[in-house]
Amino acid sequence: MNREELINRIVEEKGTEAIPALLDLLVNEDSETAHICFDALLQMGEAVVPLLIEKMRITNIDPVSRLYLADLAGEIGNRRTVTNLYEMLKDFSDERSQVVIYEALARLGEGEKVVGVLSLMLSENNDSELRDQVIMALSSTNSSMAVKALAELYGRETTDKSTKAFILEAIHSILSRRYELKNYLQSLHNVREITERLYQWQKEN
């Protein structure tokens, strides 16, 4: 029996009683095991939150594992974890880690509070991996400021086709949740190509 089968069996037999063990495995085992535990915990949803908050308060956990906790909080979507995420943010100085936490906060309704720093990261950073990470985080903010920042990046001569496609996906994601921002997008300068491609995308899908 492989690890995934073992964890699934634990979940099936113990249900929510498996949450403490799954959280321990999430922060103490290898990345493959952590991913399996993450998915299992996500399926349990709100029942995970009380123990998740307790685990998030522990500062001597491996930094990567703490980011798994932040991501899980954002995915579950319970606002009781917001304070813990802001506290966690103080412990990370590198931008890659910060973006994970900002994205989780955005998913929890804090988009307008984090969109400014994410937009600044997008405009000032040339690291392609970090840029893609920031684009994804911005797509969770549901903010007009995010739409503007993404449109500006799309319009740069240095922006390649793959990044443009990723930006279109991010803008589409925002508009799917806040359709009224379509008019805002159309009011921006030089966005004809964006609106045309989004229209074509909608027709094809």
Side-chain angles (χ1 to χ4, degrees):
M1 182 181 296
N2 63 34
R3 290 191 182 188
E4 185 171 4
E5 290 172 337
L6 177 60
I7 290 169
N8 287 337
R9 182 175 175 181
I10 292 170
V11 172
E12 288 171 6
E13 292 179 356
K14 293 192 173 184
T16 56
E17 291 180 9
I19 292 173
L22 289 171
L23 283 170
D24 285 341
L25 288 170
L26 179 72
V27 300
N28 290 314
E29 294 294 329
D30 59 90
S31 61
E32 183 180 351
T33 302
H35 280 296
I36 297 168
C37 292
F38 185 99
D39 290 340
L41 288 162
L42 188 57
Q43 289 177 30
M44 295 182 185
E46 296 290 325
V48 175
V49 173
L51 288 176
L52 174 60
I53 289 174
E54 287 185 20
K55 192 69 73 173
M56 291 174 74
R57 288 173 177 158
I58 302 173
T59 58
N60 62 349
I61 294 174
D62 173 74
V64 173
S65 298
R66 294 189 75 197
L67 293 177
Y68 275 121
L69 297 174
D71 195 19
L72 182 61
E75 288 280 2
I76 291 175
N78 189 301
R79 283 190 55 81
R80 289 163 60 193
T81 58
V82 167
T83 300
N84 303 95
L85 286 167
Y86 278 119
E87 287 298 318
M88 189 182 291
L89 193 58
K90 298 175 184 177
D91 298 329
F92 289 89
S93 58
D94 64 295
E95 291 184 329
R96 288 174 184 266
S97 299
Q98 289 173 349
V99 173
V100 173
I101 301 171
Y102 285 134
E103 183 174 4
L105 285 165
R107 289 176 182 166
L108 290 166
E110 298 291 292
E112 291 296 343
K113 295 181 180 179
V114 303
V115 67
V117 66
L118 287 170
S119 297
L120 189 62
M121 284 183 181
L122 191 68
S123 66
E124 294 185 345
N125 205 294
N126 294 318
D127 182 315
S128 60
E129 289 186 13
L130 178 59
R131 181 191 60 216
D132 289 349
Q133 194 181 351
V134 174
I135 290 171
M136 188 178 298
L138 282 168
S139 74
S140 297
T141 64
N142 300 332
S143 169
S144 59
M145 186 183 293
V147 172
K148 183 178 181 181
L150 291 166
E152 287 177 350
L153 178 59
Y154 188 98
R156 290 184 198 169
E157 292 183 0
T158 55
T159 303
D160 59 46
K161 288 183 178 180
S162 62
T163 301
K164 285 187 174 184
F166 200 33
I167 291 169
L168 285 174
E169 186 178 346
I171 293 175
H172 180 267
S173 178
I174 294 172
L175 296 183
S176 68
R177 293 187 295 270
R178 289 194 63 191
Y179 187 73
E180 71 275 13
L181 289 180
K182 179 181 178 182
N183 292 332
Y184 175 76
L185 173 64
Q186 292 174 335
S187 73
L188 298 176
H189 182 61
N190 288 336
V191 292
R192 182 176 177 180
E193 182 181 334
I194 295 176
T195 55
E196 287 178 350
R197 288 185 178 273
L198 285 173
Y199 176 71
Q200 186 63 36
W201 193 0
Q202 287 176 328
K203 284 181 63 178
E204 293 173 354
N205 295 283

